[in-house]
Amino acid sequence: MSNFGIQGQLLEVTVVGCNNLKDTEWISRQDPYVCLEYGSTRFRTRTCTDGHKTPVFQEKFVFSLIEGLKEITAAVWNSNTLTVDDFIGSGKVHLGKVLSQGFDDTTWPLQTKTGRYGGEVRLIMHYSKAAKPASSCAPSAPPYGMPPVPQAPVYPTNSAYPTAAPYPTNSAYPTSSPYPTNSAYPTSSPYPTNSAYPTSSPYSSYPPNSAGYPPSLYSAPPPSTYPPPPYPPTSAYPPPPYPPPPQASPYYPPGPYSGAYPPPPY
C-alpha cells in the first residue's frame, strides 16, 4: 500500500520524553510539557513537574490522517504559575517513514525562537495500514526451533577429486610396501648369509681358529703363565710376623769356642 489513500486512517503517536532542553528558569527547575499539532487537531501532555531538561511523559495520542499532510508540529513549553508559559523550542516531525514502514522511533531536534538548538523530543509512531516491504535479504539465522537446513558440501564430489584416498592407487605406486621386493634386495635380512661369515655369532670362541678372517696378529700366551698367579702368592700369605722370631745363626752371636781358651800365645 502506498502513501495515497491515508484519509481518515489512524496514526498513534507516543510522546516518550525530551533531552537537553533549554533552561528557561533562573532559580528553580522548569516544568516542561509537549504540544502536538496536526492540521486542526491539537494535543497536550501533562506537565512534568521539576522535569527540568530531561522530562519523561510516556503519553499516547491518536491522530486522524489527512490526505497530503505529512508533518506534525511538536512544541515544548515551560509551565509557569504566575506568569505566561515560556517557549522552549519546536520542530517538524515527518511522517514519510511511518506511513511507508508502519513504525518510527526517532528523536527530533527542537529550535528556539532565534533558530538555535533548544533540545530534542522523542516520539514513537505506529501506522497499522502500511504495507510492509518485502525483505531483500534472507535472515541471517533460521527461527529458533526449526530444523537446520541441509547444506551443500563445500568441496565438489565429481570425478576430478578422489573420493576415498588422496593419493593414486595405480600400479605406478606400491600398494603394500614403499620399497621394491625383487631379487636385487634381500627379503629377510639386509646382510648376506653365505659361508664366508659365521651364521650364529662372529665371536664364538677365543682364540680364533686358523680358518677365521682376519688372522690373529698375536700368539696365544703359554698355558703355564696365563692366567697369571694371584698376588701375593698363597705360600706367603699371611705375611710372617715382625720382628721375626729368633733363630740359630752361625754368625751371631758366636758360639762357645771349641778349642782351648785362652789360646796359646804365639
Side-chain angles (χ1 to χ4, degrees):
M1 180 184 237
S2 63
N3 294 340
F4 300 100
I6 63 173
Q7 182 67 36
Q9 302 296 333
L10 300 181
L11 176 67
E12 296 181 359
V13 179
T14 301
V15 182
V16 179
C18 300
N19 293 316
N20 302 322
L21 292 180
K22 175 187 175 182
D23 191 3
T24 59
E25 293 286 348
W26 291 91
I27 301 176
S28 62
R29 297 168 63 89
Q30 59 186 2
D31 306 322
Y33 62 89
V34 178
C35 293
L36 299 180
E37 182 177 353
Y38 179 73
S40 59
T41 306
R42 298 180 181 180
F43 292 103
R44 178 188 183 277
T45 65
R46 60 177 177 84
T47 300
C48 183
T49 306
D50 292 336
H52 202 46
K53 295 183 178 182
T54 57
V56 178
F57 302 101
Q58 293 291 349
E59 295 187 40
K60 183 174 66 176
F61 307 98
V62 179
F63 292 90
S64 180
L65 293 175
I66 301 174
E67 191 72 35
L69 184 57
K70 299 180 182 179
E71 285 183 354
I72 295 178
T73 302
V76 182
W77 297 77
N78 174 36
S79 178
N80 292 323
T81 304
L82 302 178
T83 60
V84 181
D85 295 348
D86 300 323
F87 177 77
I88 298 177
S90 64
K92 298 292 183 180
V93 178
H94 301 281
L95 306 181
K97 180 179 179 181
V98 66
L99 294 179
S100 61
Q101 300 182 11
F103 177 80
D104 186 9
D105 183 357
T106 307
T107 301
W108 303 92
L110 304 173
Q111 289 184 352
T112 63
K113 292 180 180 180
T114 59
R116 296 184 179 181
Y117 176 76
E120 55 190 17
V121 58
R122 180 186 175 189
L123 302 179
I124 297 178
M125 296 180 288
H126 291 271
Y127 179 56
S128 60
K129 299 298 181 180
K132 305 299 187 297
S135 177
S136 59
C137 301
S140 58
Y144 179 77
M146 293 182 62
V149 180
Q151 301 291 333
V154 179
Y155 302 98
T157 57
N158 52 13
S159 60
Y161 296 87
T163 57
Y167 303 99
T169 57
N170 52 13
S171 60
Y173 297 87
T175 58
S176 60
S177 174
Y179 303 98
T181 57
N182 52 12
S183 61
Y185 296 88
T187 57
S188 60
S189 174
Y191 303 98
T193 57
N194 52 13
S195 61
Y197 297 92
T199 57
S200 60
S201 175
Y203 309 100
S204 59
S205 61
Y206 183 84
N209 51 18
S210 61
Y213 180 83
S216 176
L217 301 179
Y218 304 95
S219 60
S224 60
T225 59
Y226 186 84
Y231 183 84
T234 55
S235 61
Y237 186 84
Y242 186 84
Q247 297 180 1
S249 175
Y251 304 104
Y252 184 87
Y257 186 70
S258 58
Y261 186 84
Y266 293 99

